[in-house]
Amino acid sequence: MDLEKPARPPAAAPTGEGCLVVAIRIPVRIVALVLVVPVRMAWDALVVAGRFLNDTLLRPLGRALLWVGRAVFVWPFVGLWRYVLVPSGKGLAWLGKVLLVLPAIAFYRHVLTPLGHGAAWLYARVLTPIGAGAWAAAVWLGRHLVVVPVLWLGRHLVVVPALWLYRWVLAPVGRAVAWCGRGLVWLGATVVTGIGAGLYWITRILLVLPALAVWRWVLVPVGRVLAVVAREVGDALGHAWRVAGHLSLAVGRFLGRLFRWVFVEPVRWVYRSVLTPVGHVVRDTVLRPVGDAARAVGRATGQALAAARASVRQARADFRRMLLGEPAAEPVGQPKKPQLAHRREPTGPETRTLGSSTTALTKD
């Protein structure tokens, strides 16, 4: 069984520990060992079962589902993208370029550009001088007819009365209000300081000092004891986990050897001592003669088919000569032309007939 290796042993405990630590350590370790050993063995069994299930079922199933997912979802979309959408997009882009872009470029180049140049010339040569003269005239008239009178009236009707009001009314009233505000702030700060000091001492006497006493004389000792107990429980759990790992490893090895002795070795012995000799005997007495007989039958069948093909060719040649006659003789004195024979028909005395004894079926 494939179990994880036990962790390294912890470092030795420091010397000089008290009796409380020693009294807590042994019972806690015994209880932790009793509780942790079944959990560790169950955990190791689950790990082994999970690895076996993952290797034999989940991983092949996942690969099959991945392949099916690719075949059902990915590859159709890839084919659709590659062989439908991309060519369609290229065709639409070409149509858009021919029907929209090129006419728009020609319209811009041959219509809009000359119109823009004419408008720019009209703006620079005609409208700009007219606009500049009109703006200069409007600015002069506005400055001398509107701005100067409005500024004079605003100075004498608004600015001068506002300065007088600020200097002789608002400034003295503001100084008086600021002096009263500073007095009120000082009074409020004094009252708040006194109230804060009283609340501070009341809180210190009623809450802080009792809480400090409870912390110093109750919580700190209890916390130290709980820290010792928690440390010992943690060490005991770690020690019990390591011991349980050794026990689980030993149990796993024992079960593996038992499975090997009970199942693997008998199956191997049966295969080696029974099935292998029986297989050799079957191979030598049954399979090999059957194979030789099958090969002999195959060779005889091939020879029979070859003889049948030769007979068919001969009959076809005889039928052709019966219908068309013998070929004409060559004239004397002329070179003899090579005669082109059929590639599947033998020529001359090598022609096979039904009465010849050149085939395997008609030999004596």
Side-chain angles (χ1 to χ4, degrees), residues 10-352:
T15 58
E17 297 176 343
C19 59
L20 179 62
V21 176
V22 177
I24 292 174
R25 179 177 299 167
I26 296 176
V28 167
R29 289 196 174 184
I30 293 174
V31 173
L33 182 62
V34 172
L35 296 177
V36 169
V37 167
V39 176
R40 178 60 186 267
M41 296 185 68
W43 173 259
D44 291 337
L46 291 176
V47 168
V48 173
R51 290 178 181 176
F52 176 76
L53 184 63
N54 181 47
D55 294 336
T56 57
L57 178 61
L58 296 181
R59 188 176 297 172
L61 181 61
R63 291 176 180 174
L65 291 177
L66 180 62
W67 186 88
V68 171
R70 288 179 179 176
V72 173
F73 296 103
V74 178
W75 294 340
F77 287 105
V78 169
L80 179 65
W81 171 262
R82 183 175 298 173
Y83 299 108
V84 177
L85 296 180
V86 172
S88 301
K90 290 182 179 178
L92 292 176
W94 182 81
L95 288 176
K97 181 178 180 181
V98 172
L99 299 178
L100 297 177
V101 177
L102 294 180
I105 291 175
F107 182 74
Y108 172 79
R109 183 177 297 171
H110 299 290
V111 177
L112 296 181
T113 301
L115 290 177
H117 290 170
W121 181 87
L122 180 64
Y123 174 79
R125 301 297 181 182
V126 179
L127 297 180
T128 300
I130 295 174
W135 177 254
V139 168
W140 187 85
L141 292 175
R143 180 181 298 173
H144 290 84
L145 297 179
V146 177
V147 175
V148 173
V150 169
L151 290 177
W152 186 85
L153 290 175
R155 177 181 178 83
H156 288 84
L157 295 179
V158 178
V159 176
V160 174
L163 290 176
W164 182 86
L165 180 64
Y166 173 77
R167 182 177 298 173
W168 301 105
V169 178
L170 296 179
V173 172
R175 293 190 185 97
V177 171
W179 184 81
C180 293
R182 284 196 295 270
L184 291 175
V185 169
W186 177 82
L187 180 62
T190 304
V191 173
V192 169
T193 303
I195 295 173
L199 293 176
Y200 168 76
W201 284 104
I202 292 173
T203 305
R204 181 180 177 85
I205 294 172
L206 296 180
L207 297 178
V208 176
L209 293 179
L212 184 62
V214 170
W215 170 262
R216 182 176 298 174
W217 302 107
V218 178
L219 296 180
V220 172
V222 173
R224 290 176 180 175
V225 173
L226 293 178
V228 172
V229 173
R231 185 186 64 190
E232 293 299 326
V233 169
D235 294 339
L237 290 176
H239 180 72
W241 187 261
R242 289 188 292 272
V243 173
H246 288 286
L247 293 177
S248 178
L249 181 61
V251 171
R253 289 177 178 175
F254 171 74
L255 292 177
R257 291 181 180 177
L258 181 63
F259 178 76
R260 181 178 178 181
W261 294 338
V262 173
F263 183 76
V264 177
E265 291 297 335
V267 170
R268 182 182 297 177
W269 178 84
V270 169
Y271 175 78
R272 183 180 300 172
S273 302
V274 178
L275 296 180
T276 300
V278 170
H280 290 171
V281 171
V282 171
R283 181 192 62 187
D284 296 336
T285 59
V286 178
L287 298 180
R288 186 171 293 171
V290 169
D292 295 339
R295 284 191 292 273
V297 170
R299 285 193 296 269
T301 304
Q303 291 176 359
L305 292 176
R309 284 195 296 269
S311 300
V312 171
R313 285 196 298 269
Q314 182 63 35
R316 187 173 56 187
D318 294 339
F319 182 74
R320 187 185 297 112
R321 282 196 299 271
M322 182 181 66
L323 292 178
L324 303 177
E326 295 291 339
E330 294 293 336
V332 180
Q334 291 185 0
K336 187 177 181 181
K337 295 181 180 180
Q339 185 178 0
L340 298 177
H342 196 273
R343 61 185 182 88
R344 297 182 62 184
E345 294 294 338
T347 59
E350 297 179 358
T351 303
R352 296 177 180 177

